[in-house]
Amino acid sequence: MEMPPRVIELDDLTLRRFDPEGDRAELFEVIDAARGHLGPWMSWVDEHSPERAAEFLARRQEAWEAGRDFTFAVVLGGAIVGACQLFRREGGPGGVMEIGYWLHPAATGRGVATRAAGALVAEAFRFPGVEHVEIAHDPANHASGAVAARLGFTEDRRRPAGTGEELVWRLGRQEGVVQQDVVEDRKSFGSHPPK
């Protein structure tokens, strides 16, 4: 079964698989501190609690092992500042993987989300049969759309979502990527073997 690396190094930024025990308290604190920033875009923030953080991490562990959802802690300066995810939408079309991401507001405006999402685009196209990568977000979340645009995605469609609708951006393997050095040169962000 194809799996992404557990750790992806991007200069000062690290994407690493979550540790269900070791990351529980820090993840809770980061989300708790970012409630106001994340709340308008992510309905799950309203029910955030230490117990929910523990459940989330346990589910992410199971999903990773099953090869269907790969969620990474976004680490900057040794601290978790967000999360990013590479997954196949349940019931979605074959040949498509999706990327999701969120950051604490102190980490925004510095290219962190763009670099993290770019690394996951590279990983997605390493999976056999993946021809497209998608990013979906609330149409009013212009920051998420800017990340997709910087990576060469184009607006594709709108689809129903829990909060009304989502704007879906798409990037095809054959269309190329604005940041080819990220996609084609694995050395630019490196990988480390599992711990």
Side-chain angles (χ1 to χ4, degrees):
M1 178 184 321
E2 187 74 23
M3 298 272 193
R6 292 173 180 244
V7 178
I8 301 171
E9 295 288 347
L10 303 162
D11 297 322
D12 63 333
L13 180 65
T14 301
L15 309 181
R16 65 166 174 77
R17 184 176 172 177
F18 274 106
D19 174 351
E21 296 300 319
D23 291 333
R24 186 182 312 164
E26 186 176 5
L27 178 64
F28 169 75
E29 291 170 10
V30 168
I31 295 171
D32 198 50
R35 278 181 194 262
H37 175 71
L38 300 175
W41 319 118
M42 300 175 178
S43 59
W44 53 263
V45 172
D46 292 338
E47 298 175 7
H48 180 62
S49 67
E51 296 77 25
R52 293 281 178 139
E55 291 169 11
F56 168 81
L57 291 172
R59 285 193 316 270
R60 298 293 59 91
Q61 182 84 1
E62 293 167 9
W64 188 295
E65 296 301 328
R68 66 177 184 270
D69 183 328
F70 309 100
T71 304
F72 295 84
V74 178
V75 180
L76 187 64
I80 296 174
V81 297
C84 60
Q85 168 182 38
L86 176 63
F87 62 99
R88 292 181 191 270
R89 184 171 289 275
E90 191 171 321
V96 177
M97 292 191 85
E98 193 166 326
I99 293 172
Y101 41 85
W102 63 264
L103 293 175
H104 184 281
T108 62
R110 299 160 48 184
V112 173
T114 302
R115 290 188 294 151
L120 294 188
V121 167
E123 291 304 323
F125 285 139
R126 287 188 174 81
F127 279 77
V130 172
E131 294 300 322
H132 294 93
V133 178
E134 295 182 339
I135 294 174
H137 62 84
D138 185 297
N141 187 343
H142 300 292
S144 284
V147 169
R150 278 193 294 275
L151 291 171
F153 284 71
T154 56
E155 290 185 30
D156 185 64
R157 67 190 183 284
R158 291 178 185 243
R159 68 181 175 207
T163 57
E165 70 177 2
E166 296 179 309
L167 176 57
V168 180
W169 297 72
R170 182 173 259 216
L171 179 71
R173 179 186 297 272
Q174 299 305 316
E175 297 167 292
V177 178
V178 169
Q179 296 189 359
Q180 281 295 323
D181 57 324
V182 173
V183 174
E184 293 179 356
D185 184 4
R186 188 171 190 101
K187 292 182 288 186
S188 69
F189 57 86
S191 293
H192 298 280
K195 293 181 181 178

